[in-house]
């Protein structure tokens, strides 16, 4: 493959090669022909008003319900990774508040397809303002809207077309429902023009072990069938690659797979310093998949799905059964649970705190729990019951903690529920800077580097154009992490990382050098992180951390660290 700095080369057939630069978000390399995903379906320009708004509203609801039914049908035949995603997306299509919004636009003189599009735009703006989990569902929401518009117009639904040859899927962006249902035997890689490092496409591709590149300029203009080679680490994409380079890429992939297979068991540096390697999960199926892998437990169990799938606050009994099914596969291994990380918006109508100017900076996470403590108390009661029933090592942490007083409030409620270990997410710079005091009130801390980068750099994590600012290698972000690690040492409390940065094997070395004691990631990323740690002593990790901290920018930090490790290892990572 030509290098990232080369503009072109030549293939054996004489076709000029071209190298483009995107952002690598899922490890690995692949080469194959392009399969372009159909563009979203848009409403007709100047669509006529519905002659019978009531009948048109019924038509729209019927379209949404057909979309939901199709997604449910896919879920029945999907694997565990895809099932929850498909079911959650089907729930969006069934959302009555979305149906009411469409009816409102129909009543104001819009056509049915236009009314669906306008309603989707309104809900997307609300989700983006709320931030966090909800902002990450905007792609799902727009996918549902596009499918509903296709239904009312009687045209083919958007999405990945049928294909039989192993290929690389290219799109503007992929809805999680599309990504999760890709045939892994045929999809060699994923390339999108949009997206970001923490988008659902990136996270799901990593979970599925599919190399992926996002933010590739003019990706959707690459003709179907064009041979390309992608590198999910460097983010390079080569059109018409040289066959010899593709063969070298394949041999490198085989060497890497062999090296990863040689290292097993608990994570540790070369001199035996332990670094627990854990999995991030979001539901029962995720838990069952992760528990079968060589991981030491769960570092982040996102519980939002329990609440988002309920029309009313789920009961203690309902939650207990779900948590029991999540905990059971892990036996005596730890499971770190993040309590409800949501805010005031339509998806949680039973916890609506009213309109806010900026919900992403408002009463979300622990702040919502403080306003509605009965939701937290019910969740803690259910977690305690499930822990007792399974004998699991359950540790509970709160999101969006900013002060020591908040940490104490949470720890007291955890203790009252009979749970033995309370922790906090450190994703607000204030908590990182005051980590000694904040962690002094609890048993452990976990750095949520996705949100920490967002708040440190004042850059929306869903804004793909700001991916450079959200790079976890940003020295300012590393400074904040270093401050949190220093505070954790002073407090004598363990500190982990559960953001996606934990799955970067080079950055894992830096995080270990800064004082992080556990790393939680998509389980598919664990082997590479384990290999990187096993090849470096703790002192070497500390030296690599120093190099990253003095760098001027993220690229310099990354390349300086890469240059400082053994070349034969660097090419495998």
């Amino acid at each position: 493959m030509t290098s990232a700095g080369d503009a072109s080369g030549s293939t054996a057939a004489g076709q000029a090669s071209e190298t483009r630069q995107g952002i690598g978000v899922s490890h690995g390399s692949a080469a194959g022909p392009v399969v372009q995903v159909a563009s979203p379906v848009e409403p007709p320009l100047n669509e006529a008003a519905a002659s019978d708004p009531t009948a048109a509203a019924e038509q729209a609801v019927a379209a949404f319900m057909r979309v939901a039914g199709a997604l449910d049908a896919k879920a029945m035949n999907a694997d565990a990774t895809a099932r929850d995603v498909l079911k959650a997306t089907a729930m969006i299509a069934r959302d009555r508040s979305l149906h009411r919004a469409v009816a409102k636009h129909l009543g104001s003189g819009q056509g049915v397809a236009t009314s669906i599009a306008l309603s989707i735009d309104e809900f997307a703006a609300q989700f983006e303002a709320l931030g966090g989990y909800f902002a990450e569902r905007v792609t799902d929401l727009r996918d549902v809207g596009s499918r509903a518009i296709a239904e009312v117009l009687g045209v083919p639904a958007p999405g990945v077309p049928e294909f039989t040859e192993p290929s690389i899927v290219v799109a503007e962006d992929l809805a999680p429902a599309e990504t999760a249902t890709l045939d892994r035997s045929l999809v060699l890689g994923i390339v999108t023009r949009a997206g970001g490092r923490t988008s659902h496409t990136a996270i799901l591709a990593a979970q599925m072990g599919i190399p992926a590149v996002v933010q590739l300029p003019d990706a959707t203009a690459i003709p179907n069938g064009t041979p390309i080679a992608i590198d999910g680490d460097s983010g390079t994409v080569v059109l018409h690659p040289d066959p010899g380079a593709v063969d070298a890429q394949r041999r490198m992939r085989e060497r890497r797979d062999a090296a990863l297979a040689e290292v097993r068991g608990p994570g540790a540096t070369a001199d035996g310093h332990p670094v627990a390697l854990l999995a991030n999960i979001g539901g029962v199926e995720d838990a069952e998949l992760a528990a079968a892998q060589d991981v030491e437990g769960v570092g982040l169990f996102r519980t939002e799905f329990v609440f988002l799938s309920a029309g009313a606050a789920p009961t203690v009994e309902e939650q207990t059964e779900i948590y029991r099914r999540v905990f059971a596969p892990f036996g005596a291994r730890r499971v770190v649970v993040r309590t409800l990380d949501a805010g005031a918006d339509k998806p949680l109508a039973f916890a609506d705190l009213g309109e806010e100017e900026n919900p992403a900076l408002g009463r979300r996470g622990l702040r919502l729990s403080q306003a509605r403590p009965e939701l937290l108390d019910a969740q803690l009661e259910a977690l305690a019951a499930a822990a007792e029933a399974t004998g699991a090592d359950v540790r509970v942490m709160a999101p969006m903690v900013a002060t020591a007083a908040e940490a104490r409030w949470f720890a007291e409620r955890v203790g009252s529920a009979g749970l033995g270990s309370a922790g906090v997410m450190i994703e607000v710079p204030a908590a990182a800077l005051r980590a000694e005091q904040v962690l002094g009130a609890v048993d452990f801390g976990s750095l949520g580097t996705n949100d920490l980068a967002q708040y440190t750099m004042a850059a929306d994590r869903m804004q793909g154009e700001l991916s450079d600012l959200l790079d976890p290698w940003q020295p300012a972000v590393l400074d904040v992490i270093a401050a949190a690690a220093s505070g954790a040492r002073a407090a004598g409390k363990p500190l982990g990382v559960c953001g996606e940065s934990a799955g970067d094997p080079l950055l894992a070395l830096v995080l270990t050098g800064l004082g992080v004691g556990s790393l939680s990631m998509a389980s598919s990323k664990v082997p590479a992180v384990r290999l990187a740690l096993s090849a470096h002593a703790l002192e070497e990790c500390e030296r690599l951390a120093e190099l990253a901290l003095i760098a001027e920018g993220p690229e310099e930090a990354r390349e300086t660290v890469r240059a400082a490790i053994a070349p034969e290892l660097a090419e495998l990572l």
Side-chain angles (χ1 to χ4, degrees):
M1 186 184 298
T2 53
S3 70
D6 292 338
S8 64
S10 296
T11 67
Q15 171 70 57
S17 65
E18 176 190 351
T19 299
R20 298 184 187 177
Q21 189 64 47
I23 298 172
V25 294
S26 181
H27 184 84
S29 59
V34 164
V35 168
Q36 284 282 356
V37 175
S39 300
V41 180
E42 300 289 344
L45 292 175
N46 303 314
E47 183 183 22
S51 57
D52 183 344
T54 300
E58 293 174 355
Q59 180 190 7
V61 170
F64 277 119
M65 298 308 287
R66 287 195 296 273
V67 170
L71 291 167
D72 284 338
K74 282 187 177 183
M76 290 178 64
N77 300 312
D79 62 21
T81 303
R83 197 171 300 123
D84 276 350
V85 173
L86 289 165
K87 288 181 178 178
T89 307
M91 285 174 51
I92 293 175
R94 292 190 174 95
D95 191 316
R96 292 182 181 179
S97 57
L98 179 58
H99 301 168
R100 289 194 292 270
V102 174
K104 180 180 177 181
H105 284 293
L106 285 165
S108 67
Q110 300 292 344
V112 62
T114 301
S115 294
I116 292 172
L118 291 172
S119 300
I120 293 294
D121 286 345
E122 289 173 359
F123 274 61
Q126 293 170 3
F127 279 30
E128 287 168 346
L130 185 62
Y133 180 89
F134 296 102
E136 292 167 355
R137 302 309 302 275
V138 167
T139 304
D140 308 44
L141 179 65
R142 293 198 179 280
D143 181 56
V144 164
S146 182
R147 291 174 184 275
I149 291 171
E151 286 283 345
V152 300
L153 296 179
V155 300
V160 181
E162 295 288 333
F163 60 98
T164 57
E165 179 185 5
S167 304
I168 294 175
V169 172
V170 181
E172 171 68 19
D173 200 359
L174 282 175
E178 288 288 344
T179 308
T181 53
L182 294 174
D183 185 340
R184 298 180 211 182
S185 67
L186 292 177
V187 178
L188 302 173
I190 297 170
V191 176
T192 65
R193 191 211 62 79
R197 297 179 190 277
T198 61
S199 66
H200 266 177
T201 295
I203 294 170
L204 282 171
Q207 288 176 342
M208 298 166 71
I210 299 175
V213 174
V214 301
Q215 288 286 306
L216 186 76
D218 300 321
T220 55
I222 303 173
N224 270 310
T226 301
I228 66 173
I230 73 171
D231 187 321
D233 297 293
S234 68
T236 57
V237 175
V238 180
L239 282 61
H240 304 288
D242 178 84
V246 172
D247 188 56
Q249 182 188 74
R250 177 188 57 78
R251 292 195 301 271
M252 175 64 71
R253 187 164 59 246
E254 291 172 351
R255 289 199 301 274
R256 181 178 184 274
D257 289 344
L260 295 181
E262 290 180 359
V263 185
R264 306 285 295 174
T269 59
D271 54 341
H273 175 73
V275 181
L277 301 180
L278 309 164
N280 291 343
I281 64 172
V284 175
E285 285 78 8
D286 279 356
E288 292 168 347
L289 280 175
Q293 306 302 311
D294 187 10
V295 298
E296 296 169 64
V298 173
L300 173 63
F301 167 30
R302 305 177 181 94
T303 59
E304 286 72 48
F305 84 102
V306 178
F307 296 84
L308 293 175
S309 62
T315 66
V316 171
E317 292 73 20
E318 289 169 339
Q319 292 188 62
T320 298
E321 175 58 19
I322 294 172
Y323 301 148
R324 185 194 62 76
R325 293 173 60 199
V326 169
F327 298 161
F330 290 96
R333 288 178 285 179
R334 80 176 78 171
V335 180
V336 180
V337 181
R338 182 178 70 189
T339 56
L340 177 61
D341 187 12
D345 199 40
K346 291 183 185 294
L348 285 181
F350 55 85
D352 187 0
L353 300 181
E355 292 187 10
E356 295 182 325
E357 288 295 324
N358 190 344
L361 298 178
R363 290 176 292 179
R364 54 166 290 203
L366 183 67
R367 300 168 187 178
L368 171 63
S369 295
Q370 289 183 311
R372 294 289 305 275
E374 71 278 8
L375 290 176
L376 176 63
D377 291 343
Q379 184 173 27
L380 294 176
E381 181 181 348
L383 288 168
E388 183 176 3
T390 59
D393 177 10
V394 176
R395 311 174 189 188
V396 187
M397 62 183 179
M400 281 295 287
V401 172
T403 68
E406 291 175 344
R408 281 193 298 273
W409 182 88
F410 179 72
E412 289 169 1
R413 286 197 119 78
V414 171
S416 296
L419 289 159
S421 183
V424 296
M425 292 281 291
I426 295 184
E427 49 198 339
V428 178
L433 296 173
R434 300 285 293 178
E436 181 178 357
Q437 290 75 22
V438 171
L439 294 180
V442 292
D443 300 304
F444 68 94
S446 185
L447 287 153
T449 52
N450 301 342
D451 272 331
L452 189 62
Q454 170 175 250
Y455 291 127
T456 299
M457 303 304 293
D460 187 343
R461 58 184 284 197
M462 300 307 297
Q463 190 79 27
E465 295 80 4
L466 300 179
S467 287
D468 286 347
L469 289 176
L470 293 165
D471 191 326
W473 285 89
Q474 282 283 357
V477 176
L478 295 178
D479 282 338
V480 176
I481 293 173
S486 176
R489 281 193 299 272
K493 301 296 172 65
L495 181 68
V497 169
C498 62
E500 288 303 310
S501 61
D504 178 341
L506 284 179
L507 191 51
L509 297 174
V510 171
L511 295 171
T512 299
L514 291 175
V516 167
S518 65
L519 299 165
S520 189
M521 66 205 80
S523 56
S524 65
K525 295 185 176 183
V526 169
V529 173
R530 182 185 286 115
L531 175 64
L533 289 170
S534 70
H536 297 82
L538 178 59
E539 186 175 340
E540 293 176 277
C541 293
E542 292 169 345
R543 180 173 60 86
L544 295 174
E546 292 173 0
L547 292 174
L549 287 172
I550 62 174
E552 184 174 317
E555 194 60 34
E556 179 185 336
R558 183 184 293 106
E559 293 311 312
T560 299
V561 169
R562 181 178 292 278
I565 68 174
E568 61 273 16
L569 181 62
E571 69 178 9
L572 295 176
L573 300 179

